[in-house]
Amino acid sequence: MKVTVIGTGYVGLVSGACLADVGNEVLCLDVDPAKIHTLERGDIPIHEPGLLDVVRRNVAAGRLAFTTDTERAALHGLIQFIAVGTPPDEDGSADLQYVLAAARNIGRHMDDYRVVVDKSTVPVGTAARVQAAIAAELAARGVDIGFSVVSNPEFLKEGAALDDFMRPDRIVVGADDARAIELMRALYAPFQRNHDKLLVMDVNSAELTKYAANAMLATRISFMNELANLAETLGADIEWVRQGIGSDPRIGWGFLYAGCGYGGSCFPKDVKALIRTGHEHGHELRLLDAVEKTNDAQKHRLVTKITARFGDKLDGLRFALWGLAFKPGTDDMREAPSRVVIQELCRRGAKVTAYDPVAMAEAQRVLGGEKRLAYAARPMDALDGADALVIVTEWKEFRSPDFAAIGARLRQPVIFDGRNMYDPTLMRQFGIDYHGIGRRCRRKEEQDGIQHT
């Protein structure tokens, strides 16, 4: 099947590459010539594990190509995916200018029936606006060409996007047109050979499903962070609490880790957009207001712990920081907690030496003006001359470091762990002053009792 994908960001490029990998002829369009040039020379403009190999393999096979030509893109694919950005507007609502521009370009150039698929995360009612934009362009041309608009929200996790696309747990399709539904079923057939994962619903429900999913996950994170902060006051350990509630099958284990807040391109933006959607329709989503406020406050939690230990003025102090990306497996720093931590430490007079396996180039781009920030080539190198280690992203290579070496290389053996990667009792054994999120260092007799039980 011939497929056009408009947008070569995380969603568009992953979708295009995976669709090509099962035999479709895919043309990816982007209006940014620099992105297309990067792709045409055999590289990719984002970091996503495994994606480069899939892109190169399908380009070599002739199934995947790239263009900036909107007419060529509209004429290529029977199915036209819109996978462009929907950044938050000043009022928190999703900015649909790129979605509607893509729709108008399709209407301006299409020469036969098209299925136009909203893959971008968009508010309820967007499909109707896409429909109107295409219809207006066709009317301006004086032509009568049939088309359908479908909502097909993505559920891709950065760092695991290929696996999520190739082995989806559900494929949501919002449509009311039988022909479009059958074409979408045929397109996704290679990804659901084991059993049918296609959930067909009305367009409005499909659009809301994406926002609801991200808002639910964000709510779980903020809930656990609230409990972690309370646990510190009560002398409880959030890790035991996590295990106690996660083992309940009604709750489950996912997204129950306390930390220094969520970030990225999805959760913050989608929570804001859903709050705004509710407001526009006379519904105040008070729970999501609290989720957002809790997360904003949680990003400052590490700095609060640091100033409690070292004082409000941090002049003359240096901090090693491990992890810049908002999560492991990506170089994405949009809304990353590390940005808040770095800015607050530097504002108080401290210097920061940071390390991240993949995000340092992106950090230099977004934080390039911060003169108190330096970068280390290796994680242990960041510790030299530092008064404490601050952990913000839970990369695998940070899970089991040489704690004795950490204590020796730091000027003071202090760790502020924003992802609760280490056991507080073990840290005490290494003589490290450890500060987690909602963690408690158990006394020896408590530990012995737990092990005996």
Side-chain angles (χ1 to χ4, degrees):
M1 194 178 297
K2 289 188 175 181
V3 178
T4 292
V5 179
I6 304 168
T8 58
Y10 278 98
V11 176
L13 190 55
V14 169
S15 300
C18 290
L19 288 169
D21 211 37
V22 296
N24 296 290
E25 297 178 41
V26 179
L27 179 64
C28 290
L29 167 73
D30 204 294
V31 297
D32 183 350
K35 280 188 176 182
I36 297 302
H37 178 69
T38 296
L39 290 161
E40 288 180 333
R41 72 167 186 258
D43 205 350
I44 57 176
I46 59 175
H47 176 86
E48 182 61 38
L51 180 59
L52 181 59
D53 290 340
V54 178
V55 169
R56 287 177 173 174
R57 178 169 68 242
N58 285 280
V59 168
R63 293 188 298 265
L64 181 62
F66 309 99
T67 186
T68 58
D69 187 338
T70 57
E71 181 177 4
R72 178 188 172 194
L75 295 174
H76 173 80
L78 168 61
I79 296 182
Q80 302 266 325
F81 280 95
I82 298 178
V84 296
T86 54
D89 217 333
E90 291 182 2
D91 61 0
S93 62
D95 185 347
L96 297 179
Q97 64 171 310
Y98 305 113
V99 171
L100 297 177
R104 286 190 290 269
N105 283 330
I106 294 170
R108 196 169 293 139
H109 300 296
M110 59 187 278
D111 63 346
D112 201 352
Y113 175 80
R114 294 289 184 266
V115 178
V116 180
V117 183
D118 286 335
K119 196 71 172 170
S120 302
T121 301
V122 294
V124 175
T126 298
R129 296 182 65 181
V130 168
Q131 179 104 15
I134 296 173
E137 291 296 331
L138 293 174
R141 291 168 57 192
V143 297
D144 183 14
I145 303 174
F147 69 97
S148 302
V149 178
V150 171
S151 175
N152 175 219
E154 55 85 14
F155 298 97
L156 307 178
K157 300 185 296 292
E158 291 187 33
L162 287 181
D163 192 59
D164 288 342
F165 197 101
M166 300 299 283
R167 300 175 183 83
D169 46 23
R170 80 282 205 197
I171 302 165
V172 173
V173 172
D176 55 10
D177 178 85
R179 182 180 181 185
I181 292 170
E182 288 309 306
L183 284 169
M184 294 298 290
R185 194 178 296 278
L187 182 69
Y188 278 113
F191 306 100
Q192 48 176 343
R193 292 172 61 84
N194 183 266
H195 65 278
D196 189 7
K197 301 174 183 178
L198 207 74
L199 301 176
V200 180
M201 59 187 72
D202 64 89
V203 173
N204 284 1
S205 296
E207 290 174 335
L208 183 57
T209 295
K210 170 61 178 181
Y211 277 124
N214 279 352
M216 172 64 80
L217 298 176
T219 298
R220 288 171 70 98
I221 294 170
S222 283
F223 175 74
M224 289 304 293
N225 285 336
E226 288 274 55
L227 284 186
N229 297 340
L230 178 62
E232 290 183 6
T233 302
L234 299 178
D237 191 327
I238 196 62
E239 176 59 18
W240 287 118
V241 175
R242 183 187 70 83
Q243 294 181 36
I245 65 176
S247 55
D248 185 332
R250 298 170 301 174
I251 298 173
W253 296 100
F255 289 80
L256 291 185
Y257 287 96
C260 53
Y262 60 75
S265 63
C266 294
F267 287 7
K269 172 176 68 69
D270 294 352
V271 168
K272 288 179 185 293
L274 191 51
I275 291 171
R276 182 63 186 177
T277 296
H279 179 73
E280 289 174 350
H281 291 82
H283 293 275
E284 299 304 320
L285 302 182
R286 293 183 291 274
L287 176 59
L288 293 186
D289 275 327
V291 168
E292 183 180 39
K293 290 175 182 176
T294 296
N295 189 63
D296 289 343
Q298 199 69 16
K299 289 182 179 181
H300 294 267
R301 189 70 179 174
L302 281 176
V303 177
T304 299
K305 289 175 175 289
I306 291 168
T307 55
R309 173 66 169 74
F310 290 103
D312 287 334
K313 294 184 178 181
L314 303 176
D315 300 85
L317 297 179
R318 179 184 295 277
F319 293 91
L321 187 139
W322 284 2
L324 291 162
F326 85 93
K327 62 178 282 188
T330 181
D331 63 348
D332 195 343
M333 286 193 61
R334 285 173 288 184
E335 302 281 348
S338 65
R339 298 175 67 163
V340 174
V341 173
I342 290 169
Q343 289 165 359
E344 286 296 304
L345 292 178
C346 293
R347 186 176 68 83
R348 287 173 166 80
K351 294 182 178 180
V352 177
T353 303
Y355 169 80
D356 188 286
V358 302
M360 288 197 288
E362 179 66 7
Q364 290 172 12
R365 186 184 72 83
V366 300
L367 298 171
E370 184 49 72
K371 297 180 180 180
R372 292 179 172 272
L373 174 62
Y375 300 91
R378 291 176 292 272
M380 297 302 284
D381 291 346
L383 307 178
D384 293 333
D387 293 276
L389 168 62
V390 183
I391 301 173
V392 188
T393 312
E394 64 276 29
W395 287 96
K396 287 183 179 179
E397 66 182 84
F398 302 157
R399 289 182 181 177
S400 186
D402 184 337
F403 293 112
I406 289 176
R409 294 181 76 157
L410 288 170
R411 289 174 58 187
Q412 305 181 57
V414 184
I415 294 179
F416 297 93
D417 185 355
R419 297 301 175 188
N420 288 344
M421 299 190 72
Y422 309 136
D423 182 349
T425 303
L426 178 64
M427 295 299 95
R428 184 174 64 180
Q429 293 171 3
F430 277 100
I432 293 174
D433 182 9
Y434 179 79
H435 303 263
I437 306 292
R439 298 305 310 274
R440 175 171 176 259
C441 184
R442 294 183 292 275
R443 299 188 303 273
K444 184 178 185 303
E445 55 269 24
E446 289 180 308
Q447 185 69 16
D448 291 344
I450 292 169
Q451 291 173 345
H452 177 72
T453 302

